[in-house]
Amino acid sequence: MRTYRELFRTREFTPLFAASAVQTTASTVSGLALGTLVYASTGSPLLSALSMFGPSVAQVIGAAALLSAADRLPPRAALSGLAALFGVVTAALAIPGLPVWSVFALLFGLGLAASLGGGVRLGLLDEILPRQGYLLGRSVLNMSVGLTQIAGYAAGAVLVNALSPRGTLLAGAALYLAAALIALLGLSRRPARAAGRPSIAATWRGNRLLWSSAPRRYVYLALWVPNGLIVGCEALFVPYAPAHAGTLFALAALGMLAGDVLLGRFVPARWRERLAGPLRLLLALPYLVFVLRPDLPIAAAAVVLASVGYAASLLLQERLVALTPAELRGHALGLHSSGMMAMQGVGAALAGAVAQWTSPATAMAVMAAASVAVTLSLSPGLRPRPVGLAHPAAP
């Protein structure tokens, strides 16, 4: 499977793509509205930021408690049910006079649910596409996230002004319910990939099994740590260039989009393994130029070039799928997604702390150097094994 036409001819990919895109739009629109509402009621930039991005921290708890359900629930029911839950809770957030602590309690619950949703969605993607089509399908989902976030923030800004933040939250709730309907009507009824009841104990058993394999450990660390450190660089765009931070964020999204398109659509399979290491280094090396405090044109070029390196995560996810038994793939991909979100938060916090003591430019260069160091230290464990020695599905 090498073309987008072949991809979208796969019957269940189109509704999965559509449901994901609509749900991402709903999340973006409602997140902007909620951040605006919280800031208006509290005057606190911290609480406003936490209302938009804080729920991702709850995914760590979800990864420790809920991920066994990613393979033990029927995918269509899980995806449509989770989208409907998000719609109902988002509508509840629009209730006038809702205390701030109640807002964050509801957001914490949504963060837990999000940790499960990622595993179910990516596990289903692996089911509906042939093995050679997974990378292309994942790259298209990545592209849709970037594009719908851009569109969602633009639409959210218009809706907040036209409808008020609470009206925009209700619009976001309607989008979530539309995503639930798309999943329910467009996806086929499939059995769960694994037998047994989901539980915290089953989640811990799955996490231990996944972590017990050295090849999988290297893949997880390569997916989480270098990327999280570079997200720390991106978290400093505002203090580095306050008047142009939006431009830098847009250029980062453009670079990531270009990398996903090139790797997913145009790079032959026989070249991918050769490009894996260079792409992992490309993600960080251009940010080293920030030690010189470059002007905006050079900074912009570095950001675009570095963001192409995010495409390395597609190759790592493809390897993770190959190293994981079919009955654990939803769990494995959910663990990747939750760990990635957690490390992005850690990277942003570390970058902010370094910038507090030095400068944003210095902190970005430090985070980039740390990312390069981690990538190089993990490289020996990511080298391809001889065919006769590889046991991809072994625990």
Side-chain angles (χ1 to χ4, degrees):
M1 182 175 288
R2 294 291 305 150
T3 68
Y4 295 128
R5 179 177 296 178
E6 290 176 314
L7 182 66
F8 281 96
R9 280 179 177 170
T10 304
R11 194 189 71 78
E12 288 187 88
F13 179 79
T14 299
L16 181 64
F17 171 87
S20 176
V22 172
Q23 190 159 339
T24 301
T25 304
S27 173
T28 306
V29 166
S30 57
L32 181 61
L34 187 61
T36 304
L37 188 63
V38 169
Y39 184 72
S41 62
T42 66
S44 169
L46 174 61
L47 290 178
S48 176
L50 287 175
S51 70
M52 294 181 69
F53 301 107
S56 63
V57 178
Q59 293 200 29
V60 178
I61 300 173
L66 301 177
L67 277 182
S68 63
D71 293 301
R72 289 174 168 83
L73 294 175
R76 184 179 71 170
L79 289 177
S80 57
L82 285 169
L85 173 66
F86 271 73
V88 171
V89 174
T90 300
L93 290 170
I95 297 173
L98 192 68
V100 173
W101 68 265
S102 298
V103 169
F104 282 96
L106 291 172
L107 290 175
F108 180 81
L110 290 183
L112 291 177
S115 68
L116 174 59
V120 175
R121 185 176 298 107
L122 296 178
L124 179 59
L125 180 68
D126 179 60
E127 279 194 76
I128 66 178
L129 295 180
R131 178 59 54 81
Q132 68 273 21
Y134 179 83
L135 189 143
L136 181 63
R138 187 69 181 96
S139 72
V140 169
L141 289 184
N142 280 1
M143 289 186 285
S144 77
V145 169
L147 292 172
T148 52
Q149 282 182 341
I150 293 170
Y153 279 126
V158 172
L159 289 172
V160 165
N161 290 324
L163 300 178
S164 79
R166 286 193 172 86
T168 305
L169 282 171
L170 293 176
L175 286 171
Y176 276 124
L177 295 177
L181 191 61
I182 292 170
L184 184 63
L185 298 179
L187 297 174
S188 299
R189 180 179 296 175
R190 292 170 177 265
R193 285 180 293 275
R197 296 171 62 88
S199 66
I200 295 177
T203 298
W204 275 101
R205 283 196 302 272
N207 287 343
R208 284 197 302 270
L209 179 60
L210 290 168
W211 198 249
S212 67
S213 163
R216 280 196 295 263
R217 283 200 301 273
Y218 276 100
V219 172
Y220 275 126
L221 291 172
L223 280 165
W224 295 341
V225 183
N227 289 26
L229 294 170
I230 296 306
V231 169
C233 295
E234 296 176 1
L236 297 176
F237 285 170
V238 171
Y240 181 80
H244 303 288
T247 300
L248 293 177
F249 278 117
L251 289 172
L254 177 64
M256 185 167 62
L257 178 63
D260 286 340
V261 171
L262 289 172
L263 189 65
R265 176 63 181 86
F266 296 107
V267 175
R270 65 182 183 275
W271 290 3
R272 288 174 186 165
E273 195 60 49
R274 300 176 189 175
L275 290 174
L279 281 172
R280 291 195 294 269
L281 287 172
L282 180 64
L283 179 63
L285 285 173
Y287 277 102
L288 294 176
V289 76
F290 280 88
V291 74
L292 303 175
R293 294 174 173 78
D295 292 333
L296 184 65
I298 295 176
V303 167
V304 172
L305 184 61
S307 297
V308 173
Y310 278 118
S313 68
L314 294 173
L315 298 172
L316 289 167
Q317 288 177 54
E318 189 176 46
R319 181 179 293 197
L320 179 62
V321 168
L323 288 167
T324 305
E327 67 273 11
L328 268 178
R329 283 178 187 159
H331 190 142
L333 291 165
L335 184 61
H336 147 59
S337 179
S338 297
M340 178 185 68
M341 296 298 294
M343 279 307 304
Q344 287 179 1
V346 170
L350 286 174
V354 175
Q356 190 74 25
W357 290 98
T358 57
S359 69
T362 300
M364 291 164 82
V366 168
M367 299 299 284
S371 182
V372 170
V374 172
T375 294
L376 291 175
S377 69
L378 293 174
S379 292
L382 294 170
R383 288 179 186 143
R385 293 184 171 191
V387 174
L389 300 178
H391 298 283

